[in-house]
Amino acid sequence: MSRAELTEERASGRPGAERPDGAAAAGAPARSRAVWSLGLFRSELTITFRRWRTLALLAVLAAVPILVGVAVRIETSDGGSIGSGGGEGPAFISQITNNGLFLVFTSLAATLPFFLPMSIGVIAGDSVAGEASAGTLRYLLVAPSGRTRLLLAKFTTVLVFCLAATLTVAVSALITGALLFPTGEVTLLSGTAIPFSEGLLRCLAVAVLVAVSLLGLAALGLFISTLTNSGIAAMAATVGLLITVQIVNTIPQLHAVHPFLFPHYWLSFADVLRDPVYWDDILKNLGVQALYTAVFGSAAWARFTGRDITA
Amino acid sequence: MAGQTAASTTDSAVISTRGLTKRYRGGQLAVDALDLSVPRGSVFGFLGPNGSGKTTTIRMLLGLIEPTEGGAVLLGEPMPRAARHVLPRVGALIEGPALYGFLSGRDNLLRYDAADPTADPATRTARVGHALERVGLAAAGSKKARAYSLGMKQRLGLAAALLQPRELLVLDEPTNGLDPQGMREIRSLVRELAGDGITVFLSSHLLDEIEQVCTHTAVMNRGRLITQGTVAEMSAAGARGKLAVTTPDTAEAARVLKERGVTDLVTEGDEITGDPPAADLAELNAALVEAGVRVRAFGVKRASLEDVFVQLTGEGFDVAG
């Protein structure tokens, strides 16, 4: 990211001297040229995280682990085991009573199919289209933010939100798990026991991996966002597409396209909990996300830089 | 004409377009071969009915819309290619203000300033404060923008255009939605800015606004430039002044005036208007008094831009279809 912005800056880099009378440049010392790239990005972050909508999404995400933890606690308070009521819950739910750390994995597994990507869809879909429908896009562009620079700032912000959303779930789950259940040595899926500290590290790895899993959707949402002047339409289209893809992903007859769907390897993060770590699906997941990011990121760029801004 | 435009581009013209054309995807021609030249230091009134292509032109000037044909040169550099170097020197208000309702007025300006890569972050707070003061919003700066009235939003939009020292201000309908007091304040602000040597490009559909504030003007209708020049030239060339006589004795007055060669007489209430003859108007007045006509008022009305407009377009000042 920073490298991309630096390149852009260098490409643009014919500073003050070129201006005939330098009214604007004279006041700006050379030092400010080095930090400007961060200015828009910082502003973008503030704008995103000061919205009530963003905070509400994060609050919902933080509530999921609490709900799951409390439910498991209540169900097992009489000494019974999980699932005695019949049916199965999300992955790892039966391990929670042994180790609160597993609430992190359970919560991520529970929110990854829908809650997490939906919140990404809302933020990514709204990123450009929301500014267009509010009319603020034209003022940012004549400021001039530069179209590539604005798009990069938007995309980076969506990525930061991906990480923030995932960490919100993970941290909320970790706290709830530690409060309601015992902690200690973690028994991995492969049966090996590792110390709690290493368990925490794996937790962090899983959270980062989940955040990266959302990259493809983030790029897709950003692209959709450049297609329309309506923030609501872009959000709805992104979330609608997510649901459609998730449905396609469950239809066995369509297995030929499954490996190319962005959510197909989402649950591969569980492989981090093996010893040794089973990399196959994790790498495939990263590959798919990289592919989606490259394709839809370029499409968003091509569309946004070539488009007439009429809103 | 084209050669003259090209020659003036480098030295005096702040905005200059050649054959600027925009055809939208539906095939509708929004702007048709526009040759516009805005001299440095002028207050330039860009006039035309709603839907005449003013806003499309402004968006092309600012690099928001790609022209289908032709090009625009802003402050000596081609748009939209040089947008990065040109736009920091241009302040703009396009089709009304647009704000983040959940941010305070001050935070809105901080946001817009952060979008400008040439803006120095060290002086940001001070410049924002100064801009708020300039438009009279210093007291309301920490209020959420969603609670602003339309007039306050308009002022905040203007403040955003004044965040940096500018060479050119492009103001699209800046007095829209303001009360008469607000309109007067904006006009005096525009005059003040022009006094600082900033070129102001002002679009409006309010003829008297252009007449009050502008030194130069161009008239657009149905995507085409009908005329451009100084406001004085336009009023002079467009239509000669009308003679107007106010009197209770209209019938007698009309007879005398007709006798003395006044043509095109129209009586409306107690006022008679007509095209005056070449003769001395003092003689005309003496003749009226001699004939026993009680004259309340006697004078020549200057042609207004509206008269010029109607004369140029041959139609009313209505929305283009």
Side-chain angles (χ1 to χ4, degrees), chain A residues 12-203:
Chain A
S12 81
R14 284 169 292 169
E18 199 186 57
R19 301 196 172 113
D21 60 5
R31 191 180 53 81
S32 77
R33 301 285 300 175
V35 283
W36 68 250
S37 52
L38 286 177
L40 181 61
F41 171 60
R42 264 209 313 267
S43 158
E44 208 45 70
L45 271 187
T46 332
I47 290 271
T48 308
F49 284 92
R50 274 181 71 178
R51 280 223 159 126
W52 275 112
R53 187 182 55 209
T54 312
L55 300 179
L57 284 172
L58 292 178
V60 168
L61 287 172
V64 171
I66 300 175
L67 279 178
V68 174
V70 169
V72 169
R73 176 76 197 217
I74 291 172
E75 201 187 337
T76 57
S77 58
D78 55 355
S81 70
I82 297 192
S84 55
E88 348 169 0
F92 317 113
I93 198 160
S94 54
Q95 272 110 315
I96 295 179
T97 44
N98 300 328
N99 194 327
L101 203 58
F102 273 92
L103 186 57
V104 175
F105 309 126
T106 310
S107 303
L108 286 174
T111 49
L112 192 48
F114 193 70
F115 275 124
L116 262 178
M118 188 202 67
S119 65
I120 307 302
V122 168
I123 299 294
D126 193 51
S127 57
V128 176
E131 300 267 11
S133 55
T136 46
L137 183 60
R138 60 176 185 265
Y139 286 108
L140 291 176
L141 289 180
V142 303
S145 64
R147 298 196 184 197
T148 308
R149 182 169 162 251
L150 183 62
L151 198 67
L152 275 175
K154 290 276 178 201
F155 189 55
T156 316
T157 307
V158 177
L159 298 192
V160 170
F161 180 78
C162 287
L163 196 62
T166 316
L167 287 178
T168 303
V169 175
V171 169
S172 162
L174 191 63
I175 295 171
T176 314
L179 288 177
L180 297 181
F181 305 101
T183 53
E185 268 200 349
V186 182
T187 311
L188 295 178
L189 299 183
S190 50
T192 334
I194 56 167
F196 186 69
S197 57
E198 202 193 323
L200 276 181
L201 271 183
R202 298 229 180 187
C203 259

Side-chain angles (χ1 to χ4, degrees), chain B residues 197-257:
Chain B
I198 303 175
T199 310
V200 182
F201 184 80
L202 185 87
S203 107
S204 181
H205 63 270
L206 300 176
L207 295 143
D208 59 335
E209 181 167 289
I210 300 272
E211 216 164 15
Q212 281 178 39
V213 183
C214 298
T215 58
H216 293 67
T217 181
V219 180
M220 257 190 110
N221 195 29
R222 294 173 193 272
R224 311 198 64 133
L225 191 65
I226 296 172
T227 179
Q228 60 181 326
T230 66
V231 170
E233 266 169 26
M234 297 270 283
S235 299
R240 277 189 306 146
K242 288 261 187 194
L243 176 70
V245 180
T246 313
T247 167
D249 313 319
T250 44
E252 180 64 9
R255 193 188 57 76
V256 174
L257 288 173

Side-chain angles (χ1 to χ4, degrees), chain B residues 7-152:
Chain B
S8 59
T9 295
T10 43
D11 38 281
S12 66
V14 171
I15 299 174
S16 133
T17 72
R18 275 177 77 182
L20 194 67
T21 302
K22 181 64 187 182
R23 188 182 289 280
Y24 282 118
R25 242 181 303 170
Q28 183 208 352
L29 201 58
V31 175
D32 187 5
L34 200 67
D35 289 315
L36 199 63
S37 179
V38 176
R40 187 174 286 274
S42 62
V43 179
F44 196 96
F46 195 39
L47 197 56
N50 297 329
S52 58
K54 293 188 307 262
T55 296
T56 303
T57 306
I58 287 177
R59 282 178 182 261
M60 283 194 282
L61 292 177
L62 295 174
L64 292 173
I65 291 183
E66 189 87 25
T68 317
E69 267 170 68
V73 174
L74 214 61
L75 300 170
E77 298 194 57
M79 286 295 290
R81 202 142 38 83
R84 198 183 285 275
H85 315 292
V86 175
L87 290 183
R89 296 183 275 151
V90 180
L93 188 65
I94 318 149
E95 272 191 296
L99 306 168
Y100 300 88
F102 61 100
L103 293 182
S104 69
R106 189 178 303 276
D107 286 343
N108 266 286
L109 294 185
L110 289 172
R111 159 87 169 150
Y112 284 133
D113 198 60
D116 180 354
T118 66
D120 182 7
T123 61
R124 182 161 294 154
T125 327
R127 282 183 292 111
V128 165
H130 184 70
L132 282 171
E133 259 166 47
R134 189 132 203 203
V135 297
L137 275 182
S142 46
K143 220 166 128 183
K144 291 257 183 287
R146 100 161 58 81
Y148 278 18
S149 68
L150 183 53
M152 288 163 84

